[in-house]
Amino acid sequence: MTVQLYCQFLPGAKYGKNDQKWFPKWLRRYAAGKNKGENLPVTIESVITFSQSLLKSNTPAWQRLQAVRAVEAYRDLVLKTDKPSLTEVKIKLGQVAEQERDDGTGTGAPGVSDERKLIGEIDPNEPAIIQRMRRSLRVMRRSLETERAYIGWIMRFIVFCGDDDLEMFGEKEIKAFLTGLAVEGDVSGGTQNQAKSALLFLYQKVLGRELEFLDVTRASKASQMPVVLSRNEIGRLAPEFRGLRRLMFMVLYGSGLRHRECRRLRVKDVCFDEGHIVVRKAKGEKDRITLLPDKCRQDLIEQIERVRRLHQRDLDDGFGKVYLPFALERKYPNECLEFGWQWVFPAARMSRDPRTHEIRRHHIGEDYFAKFFKTAIDRVGIVKNAVPHSLRHSFATHLLESGSDIRTVQELLGHKDVRTTMIYLHCMNKPGLAVKSPADSVVEV
């Protein structure tokens, strides 16, 4: 009877179709041998015993995890309680499931060679905890920039603790480390949050530990105005750029792209007929559509044609592959050779992927535009502390000055919250402002 009640509640709960199908089957196995008609007992011990019985029948870890989630759903829907917590059991099973996928032993798991291709080469001379951290980051598809940042913080934490066996440490040491960054290191709030994220990833995702509340002294988060270049300064700056850098300048300022988004632009995402650019997997893993400036349309057409010829030469030389997200590369093995996936701004030389060690042509490097931008700023005498990202700030501010709706600007920038976009209202040039400085009315003596 209690299983029937569970099946009645399940369709109204927020579970996927696969869970809706399999949860009742797992619960019936959990209920086997127990008194019918009574509520099923849900304890940590009973759930672990149930999982172990599934293990004896060679049930893979991902299915055992689904079975535990089915019991958890019964606890929530029928018993209407959140006790006991099954989080630790799920984390452990999740880690085992990842390991089974790494070994290729889990049912339906990708092959060993595919996983090795994703994880790439890991230095065996690094501390064991760092190797585990890298492996988890790569399995979870975190970017190379995130991996480098997180590993850097873990290395600093190891130095702080004086031991690379980080399982011995916990909330006390994390609190002291993060507080020291704010008080003694005088870091910004964003820097402290990045360090905290790295440590939470290590302890929760890699070591499978639930941390208690961290009472940390927060680094002050300064409210800073973005650096915006005026229209006159944009006009003085633009002639300093030539060739490919000129095109990047126009795309950054004319479309409001981040520097990284510009460098990672793919041929297929420049839509000339529709007059827009599609930005894929931007900040927050979100896609968006932004403007394609008419002034750089022809230059982009010519650049893409140059990329086509370059790609054909690479193919003739036995290369031509480009990086794809792992799931796509695994599902469509030859898609990495297609022209549409090539970078609009490819590197001049091919290079070796730092993870897989595969040789291919990557997109243009960060310094190619950023260093020249600094030189150009100095050359025209602009004293603002501007960087390539300042062109995105200028794009938003000048749109608002031209009367564009703030919601439209929010969508073009890809901001989740309109309050983020509203900061540009304070950067606008308002020549019609009625308020005048009192110094202008002082009578000269």
Side-chain angles (χ1 to χ4, degrees):
M1 183 65 183
T2 188
V3 177
Q4 294 177 354
L5 186 63
Y6 174 70
C7 294
Q8 293 175 8
F9 287 150
L10 198 58
K14 295 181 179 180
Y15 294 104
K17 291 182 178 179
N18 198 44
D19 290 341
Q20 299 268 0
K21 175 183 176 181
W22 286 99
F23 275 15
K25 297 180 180 180
W26 290 121
L27 192 69
R28 289 189 182 96
R29 292 187 65 172
Y30 180 75
K34 298 180 174 64
N35 292 331
K36 296 182 179 180
E38 297 181 2
N39 286 339
L40 300 174
V42 177
T43 64
I44 295 291
E45 292 75 15
S46 65
V47 172
I48 292 176
T49 301
F50 175 51
S51 178
Q52 290 173 343
S53 69
L54 295 176
L55 177 60
K56 291 178 181 178
S57 61
N58 296 323
T59 304
W62 70 269
Q63 290 184 344
R64 301 202 304 274
L65 175 59
Q66 187 184 56
V68 171
R69 290 178 55 241
V71 177
E72 184 180 53
Y74 172 82
R75 180 204 68 188
D76 295 339
L77 299 176
V78 179
L79 302 183
K80 299 187 183 302
T81 180
D82 58 357
K83 297 291 190 307
S85 173
L86 302 178
T87 302
E88 188 172 349
V89 179
K90 292 192 297 180
I91 289 175
K92 295 288 186 183
L93 285 172
Q95 291 176 333
V96 175
E98 284 185 7
Q99 186 62 48
E100 287 184 357
R101 284 196 295 269
D102 294 343
D103 299 337
T105 57
T107 305
V112 176
S113 60
D114 287 336
E115 287 293 340
R116 190 173 295 143
K117 190 175 184 180
L118 167 66
I119 295 170
E121 300 293 331
I122 296 178
D123 186 358
N125 297 318
E126 288 184 320
I129 192 67
I130 296 296
Q131 295 183 48
R132 291 176 62 185
M133 182 82 168
R134 288 192 190 277
R135 192 178 190 87
S136 296
L137 285 165
R138 294 178 187 185
V139 166
M140 297 181 70
R141 320 289 199 269
R142 298 300 174 91
S143 69
L144 186 60
E145 292 87 350
T146 300
E147 178 181 329
R148 286 170 174 165
Y150 278 21
I151 293 298
W153 285 116
I154 300 307
M155 293 298 292
R156 288 182 64 173
F157 187 59
I158 288 175
V159 173
F160 175 82
C161 295
D163 196 324
D164 61 9
D165 186 8
L166 298 184
E167 294 193 61
M168 298 190 305
F169 308 106
E171 290 86 346
K172 179 182 176 181
E173 289 76 18
I174 295 175
K175 176 184 175 181
F177 177 69
L178 295 176
T179 300
L181 290 177
V183 177
E184 299 166 11
D186 196 27
V187 301
S188 67
T191 301
Q192 188 190 42
N193 283 335
Q194 186 187 67
K196 181 180 179 181
S197 297
L199 291 168
L200 289 178
F201 185 93
L202 170 67
Y203 278 91
Q204 295 180 342
K205 302 296 185 182
V206 181
L207 301 179
R209 281 172 52 181
E210 280 293 314
L211 296 177
E212 301 295 334
F213 176 72
L214 296 174
D215 184 16
V216 177
T217 300
R218 302 288 182 182
S220 59
K221 190 173 183 180
S223 179
Q224 296 179 337
M225 296 288 287
V227 177
V228 175
L229 300 171
S230 68
R231 295 175 189 270
N232 177 268
E233 289 169 332
I234 292 289
R236 288 159 50 198
L237 192 58
E240 297 294 320
F241 295 82
R242 294 284 187 275
L244 195 61
R245 289 189 180 94
R246 167 84 176 187
L247 179 56
M248 293 180 70
F249 180 92
M250 293 302 297
V251 171
L252 286 166
Y253 173 62
S255 303
L257 268 61
R258 298 177 177 90
H259 188 198
R260 182 188 301 177
E261 294 169 352
C262 178
R263 290 182 283 118
R264 293 181 176 180
L265 192 61
R266 309 234 189 202
V267 170
K268 67 182 182 61
D269 294 326
V270 182
C271 307
F272 293 105
D273 291 341
E274 295 88 344
H276 65 236
I277 292 174
V278 181
V279 184
R280 306 282 185 185
K281 297 298 179 183
K283 190 174 181 180
E285 293 295 303
K286 295 181 294 184
D287 295 352
R288 73 176 191 277
I289 291 176
T290 188
L291 307 175
L292 172 61
D294 291 334
K295 282 199 172 182
C296 64
R297 176 185 290 264
Q298 186 58 38
D299 291 337
L300 273 172
I301 292 174
E302 295 173 3
Q303 171 62 17
I304 289 176
E305 186 57 36
R306 285 191 289 270
V307 173
R308 187 188 299 276
R309 294 194 295 268
L310 177 64
H311 178 53
Q312 188 58 52
R313 288 201 299 272
D314 289 344
L315 289 173
D316 294 341
D317 293 338
F319 297 99
K321 289 185 178 181
V322 69
Y323 167 78
L324 295 182
F326 177 72
L328 282 174
E329 193 165 13
R330 187 178 64 201
K331 190 173 183 180
Y332 306 106
N334 296 321
E335 196 73 7
C336 56
L337 295 169
E338 293 296 324
F339 173 64
W341 283 99
Q342 303 302 307
W343 310 108
V344 174
F345 301 106
R349 296 191 297 266
M350 282 184 281
S351 58
R352 191 180 298 275
D353 189 293
R355 287 180 171 175
T356 65
H357 290 189
E358 186 174 359
I359 296 176
R360 56 190 173 202
R361 192 178 298 279
H362 202 47
H363 58 67
I364 211 160
E366 182 178 4
D367 290 343
Y368 176 80
F369 185 85
K371 286 188 174 180
F372 188 87
F373 185 87
K374 173 61 177 173
T375 302
I377 286 285
D378 295 338
R379 190 180 296 154
V380 299
I382 296 176
V383 296
K384 294 177 180 176
N385 189 26
V387 294
H389 197 74
S390 301
L391 296 175
R392 174 176 162 89
H393 295 323
S394 305
F395 163 84
T397 304
H398 296 168
L399 279 180
L400 291 171
E401 288 176 350
S402 301
S404 298
D405 179 73
I406 192 168
R407 291 288 184 181
T408 302
V409 177
Q410 177 192 358
E411 291 182 8
L412 294 174
L413 294 175
H415 288 162
K416 183 178 180 180
D417 194 328
V418 72
R419 288 176 294 183
T420 308
T421 315
M422 288 178 65
I423 192 171
Y424 297 112
L425 295 174
H426 302 289
C427 304
M428 293 170 55
N429 183 24
K430 303 175 183 177
L433 200 63
V435 180
K436 291 186 178 296
S437 169
D440 296 334
S441 61
V442 174
V443 178
E444 295 186 7
V445 179

